[in-house]
């Protein structure tokens, strides 16, 4: 089974990659950074632009995260986003603006600014496609500014109401060679599956890989479990196994799923390398 997944996932492995994606929202963070085959709301645009096509109506979202993913790697971000999939919209889309501050990716702290746009379109009842374009700028203290313009492609296959598959190619354009390796966002790819059991439980599994600086083709495994324990409460658990970084990260979170206001929280804990925790809080307003 694993061999079959790897053949499908890496049939285009000649394309090269370097660094992991720059941002995940609280829902995906709680689910072990999985969700490319099924993540509702504006956050889904960061995972797979084809998910934009499945959203219904409009949504405004606010994001905040702060904490450590490693003893020397602090992450902080805040931002806003919106998604529009109304009846009269020709091309469902989303737009995000984020401010980032990362340590451990460059010799000194790096302050980032991200503009992110995604468009998704149903091709048939069972297939949706999407494209992302973004501009990411990092200012490194005592150094200089680094700009990255890039785009990603995504697809989503709906087998039935319970089972979906997703495939994503992130960062197809090569960043400039002057961008430091720790800040580079080169191509990475992922295959994902999402399986629902009624309205109460959903399982997610994503397999990703970066190509550049990964001569042994090591994988990143992401798993998530989601359960609606109450009409307005969603519990989430997840696990990340990054073979290249040799890390295991445990994740969890809770969502308050109100009729209008939705509040999401997640925590990510690297048991092996730090005593810190990376916290994320999202606020969503669908209408």
């Amino acid at each position: 089974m694993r061999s079959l997944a790897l053949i499908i996932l890496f049939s285009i492995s000649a394309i090269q990659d370097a660094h992991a994606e720059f941002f995940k929202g609280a829902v995906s963070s709680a689910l072990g950074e999985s969700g490319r085959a099924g993540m509702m709301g504006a956050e889904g645009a960061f995972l797979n632009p084809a998910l934009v096509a499945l959203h219904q109506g409009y949504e405004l979202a606010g994001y905040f995260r702060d904490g450590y993913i490693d003893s020397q790697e602090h992450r902080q971000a805040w931002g806003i986003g919106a998604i529009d999939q109304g009846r009269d919209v020709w091309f469902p889309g989303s737009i995000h603006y984020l401010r980032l501050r990362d340590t451990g990716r460059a010799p000194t702290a790096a302050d980032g600014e991200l503009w992110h746009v995604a468009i998704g379109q149903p091709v048939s009842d069972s297939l949706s496609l999407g494209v992302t374009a973004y501009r990411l700028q990092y200012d490194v203290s005592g150094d200089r500014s680094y700009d990255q313009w890039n785009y990603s492609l995504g697809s989503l296959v709906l087998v039935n109401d319970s089972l979906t598959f997703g495939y994503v190619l992130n960062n197809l354009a090569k960043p400039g060679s002057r961008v430091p390796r720790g800040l580079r966002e080169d191509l990475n790819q992922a295959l994902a599956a999402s399986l629902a059991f009624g309205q109460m439980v959903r399982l997610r599994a994503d397999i990703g890989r970066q190509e550049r600086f990964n001569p042994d083709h090591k994988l990143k495994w992401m798993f998530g479990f989601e359960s609606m324990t109450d009409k307005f409460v969603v519990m989430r658990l997840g696990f990340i196994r990054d073979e290249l970084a040799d890390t295991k990260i445990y994740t969890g979170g809770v969502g308050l799923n109100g009729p209008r206001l939705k509040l999401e929280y997640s925590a990510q804990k690297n048991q092996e390398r730090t005593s810190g925790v990376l916290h994320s809080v999202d606020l969503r307003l669908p209408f």
Side-chain angles (χ1 to χ4, degrees), residues 210-229:
Q210 67 175 54
E211 306 298 330
R212 201 171 184 192
F213 309 115
N214 185 13
D216 297 325
H217 307 301
K218 293 183 178 181
L219 305 178
K220 184 176 182 180
W221 303 84
M222 297 154 280
F223 302 98
F225 169 83
E226 185 176 56
S227 175
M228 183 172 287
T229 58

Side-chain angles (χ1 to χ4, degrees), residues 8 32 94 99 101 104 107 114 137 145 150 162-163 180 185 204 236 249 271 276:
I8 297 173
S94 72
R99 298 289 296 184
R101 183 172 177 83
L114 171 70
Q137 179 184 41
S145 178
N150 223 312
S162 301
L163 180 62
E185 301 291 344
R204 295 181 173 88
R236 302 181 178 99
I249 298 176
Q271 295 281 20

Side-chain angles (χ1 to χ4, degrees), residues 195-211:
L195 178 62
F197 299 89
Q199 300 296 318
M200 302 299 293
V201 175
R202 182 176 291 272
L203 301 177
R204 295 181 173 88
D206 296 19
I207 308 171
R209 190 178 78 181
Q210 67 175 54
E211 306 298 330

Side-chain angles (χ1 to χ4, degrees), residues 39-272:
M39 180 71 63
M40 294 298 100
E43 177 189 346
F46 290 114
L47 298 167
N48 183 350
L51 292 171
V52 173
L54 299 187
H55 187 80
Q56 298 298 319
Y58 314 91
E59 180 180 282
L60 298 176
Y63 306 94
F64 178 78
R65 74 175 181 187
D66 186 82
Y68 287 83
I69 61 171
D70 207 330
S71 58
Q72 303 298 322
E73 296 188 19
H74 182 257
R75 298 287 183 265
Q76 188 177 75
W78 64 266
I80 57 175
I83 187 170
D84 185 355
Q85 168 51 315
R87 291 183 179 180
D88 299 327
V89 174
W90 286 10
F91 295 100
S94 72
I95 184 170
H96 285 88
Y97 175 78
L98 293 173
R99 298 289 296 184
L100 313 168
R101 183 172 177 83
D102 296 344
T103 60
R105 296 185 64 179
T108 57
D111 293 304
E113 180 182 61
L114 171 70
W115 285 97
H116 185 280
V117 177
I119 296 175
Q121 184 67 33
V123 178
S124 66
D125 291 340
S126 60
L127 176 64
S128 295
L129 302 176
V131 60
T132 293
Y134 71 82
R135 174 184 179 267
L136 176 63
Q137 179 184 41
Y138 273 111
D139 293 319
V140 180
S141 303
D143 194 354
R144 58 193 301 179
S145 178
Y146 301 97
D147 280 342
Q148 297 180 71
W149 295 82
N150 223 312
Y151 69 101
S152 304
L153 301 176
S155 60
L156 195 68
V157 177
L158 287 75
V159 179
N160 52 46
D161 292 339
S162 301
L163 180 62
T164 58
F165 292 97
Y167 181 73
V168 185
L169 283 168
N170 290 306
N171 311 317
L172 282 153
K174 294 182 179 180
S177 59
R178 59 186 291 270
V179 179
R181 176 177 169 181
L183 299 177
R184 291 169 62 93
E185 301 291 344
D186 291 277
L187 185 140
N188 59 78
Q189 52 184 320
L191 178 70
S194 177
L195 178 62
F197 299 89
Q199 300 296 318
M200 302 299 293
V201 175
R202 182 176 291 272
L203 301 177
R204 295 181 173 88
D206 296 19
I207 308 171
R209 190 178 78 181
Q210 67 175 54
E211 306 298 330
R212 201 171 184 192
F213 309 115
N214 185 13
D216 297 325
H217 307 301
K218 293 183 178 181
L219 305 178
K220 184 176 182 180
W221 303 84
M222 297 154 280
F223 302 98
F225 169 83
E226 185 176 56
S227 175
M228 183 172 287
T229 58
D230 183 82
K231 183 178 179 180
F232 299 115
V233 179
V234 182
M235 301 299 296
R236 302 181 178 99
L237 294 172
F239 176 73
I240 305 169
R241 172 62 174 129
D242 191 332
E243 296 177 351
L244 182 61
D246 193 23
T247 58
K248 297 178 181 178
I249 298 176
Y250 298 89
T251 69
V254 60
L256 301 180
N257 191 28
R260 277 296 178 190
L261 191 63
K262 302 179 187 298
L263 181 64
E264 315 287 357
Y265 168 77
S266 75
Q268 294 185 316
K269 174 70 173 177
N270 185 337
Q271 295 281 20
E272 301 173 337

